[in-house]
Amino acid sequence: MPTKPTKRSPRVKPGQREEETLRVLISHQRIRERVRHMAEEIRRDFPNEPIHLVGVLKGSVLFLADLARELGGEVSFDFISVSSYGKGMDSTGEVKMNKDLDVSIEGRSVLVVEDILDTGLTLKYLLVLFEERKPKHLRVAVLLDKVERRIADVKADYTGFVIPNEFVVGYGLDYDERYRNLPDVCVVRLGPRGKTKIEA
Ligand code: IMP
C-alpha cells in the first residue's frame, strides 16, 4: 500500500527539523550555470592538460561531480578527508587528517576542490601538505567563499560565489551530516527551541 504523504508544509525541506528554518540562498539553477562557467575558465587555463581533481570530503562531492562533468578532456580524481569542524556550527580551529590521497600528485596538474572557504585554515593546511609533494601545478576551486571570516592568508583561484557570514547547507554541505542532498544552497537558522546557538 502506498505510504500516506506527511502533513508538513510543502516548503519544509527533506530532513528538516522543526526547530530549524531553511532559506534558499543560491538555487540549483544558478549553481549549475556558475559551475559551467568555472569549468570553462579552468579549461582555458589548462587547455590540453590532464587535470587531477582533489576533492575534500565530504562537502565537495556534489560540486566535484558536476565540475568534473563540465570540464571535459582528461580528468581524474582523488579524495582527502580532513576535519576542522566538530558537530554543529562551531569550528574547533584545528585541522586533522582522517584520510590521505590514494595516489601521488607529484608532477600532476592538481585542482583542489573545496565546498566552502571559511576561516581558510583547512585550505592552508592542505596547500602546505600538497606543495611538499611537488605537483606540476596546484590550483584551488571553491564553490562558496565567506570572505569576512578569513583567518588564514589563502585565496582560491576559482570561486563560485562570495556569500555573507551565514551557516549554509545543501549541495554537499551539511549541518550534523544532514542536508547534503539538497540541490540548493540554503541558510539554516535555529529557532528558540534549537539546542545550539548560531554564532553572532
Ligand atoms: P575553514 O577551515 O574554516 O575554511 O572551514 C572549511 C570547512 O568548514 C568546510 O570545508 C566545511 O566543511 C566547514 N564549513 C565552514 N562553513 C560552513 C557552513 O556554512 N556550512 C557547512 N560547513 C561549513
Side-chain angles (χ1 to χ4, degrees):
M1 213 168 81
T3 46
K4 263 176 105 182
T6 64
K7 287 243 174 83
R8 294 190 120 189
S9 134
R11 295 173 69 176
V12 173
K13 305 263 186 210
Q16 188 172 348
R17 302 266 163 94
E18 286 201 8
E19 68 274 18
E20 295 164 3
T21 55
L22 292 175
R23 174 172 57 82
V24 174
L25 183 68
I26 310 167
S27 69
H28 187 56
Q29 179 64 29
R30 284 183 66 205
I31 296 171
R32 275 174 55 181
E33 280 163 23
R34 187 70 195 111
V35 171
R36 194 173 309 133
H37 285 126
M38 289 174 84
E40 281 168 12
E41 214 184 314
I42 295 163
R43 260 297 167 221
R44 229 176 286 134
D45 293 347
F46 298 93
N48 301 310
E49 192 118 0
I51 301 178
H52 189 62
L53 303 180
V54 167
V56 185
L57 292 171
K58 302 169 203 164
S60 73
V61 167
L62 302 196
F63 176 39
L64 184 142
D66 285 343
L67 190 66
R69 279 176 286 199
E70 293 292 346
L71 274 172
E74 192 176 326
V75 171
S76 53
F77 41 80
D78 199 352
F79 294 93
I80 191 164
S81 171
V82 291
S83 44
S84 63
Y85 262 65
K87 269 185 110 193
M89 298 176 179
D90 291 316
S91 171
T92 58
E94 245 176 73
V95 183
K96 78 172 184 19
M97 196 199 298
N98 306 319
K99 180 217 166 288
D100 202 347
L101 298 174
D102 291 336
V103 295
S104 165
I105 56 168
E106 191 174 339
R108 291 178 185 246
S109 293
V110 172
L111 182 68
V112 179
V113 182
E114 257 277 47
D115 52 356
I116 188 165
L117 248 181
D118 189 29
T119 63
L121 292 169
T122 306
L123 186 61
K124 181 88 194 172
Y125 169 91
L126 290 173
L127 290 177
V128 170
L129 183 78
F130 292 155
E131 276 299 357
E132 280 173 8
R133 299 179 181 185
K134 303 193 173 25
K136 183 173 169 195
H137 301 284
L138 184 59
R139 301 279 191 276
V140 179
V142 295
L143 181 73
L144 307 171
D145 189 351
K146 286 190 206 171
V147 177
E148 38 178 310
R149 290 262 304 166
R150 197 76 82 257
I151 295 173
D153 180 23
V154 282
K155 268 207 294 200
D157 300 283
Y158 310 96
T159 302
F161 302 90
V162 171
I163 61 163
N165 180 17
E166 305 241 42
F167 197 84
V168 289
V169 293
Y171 197 65
L173 290 132
D174 76 307
Y175 172 54
D176 282 354
E177 293 300 325
R178 289 178 290 117
Y179 300 128
R180 290 194 196 274
N181 55 335
L182 294 180
D184 312 307
V185 169
C186 300
V187 173
V188 61
R189 287 238 168 82
L190 300 176
R193 283 184 294 152
K195 286 185 192 133
T196 320
K197 277 196 188 134
I198 297 176
E199 287 183 304

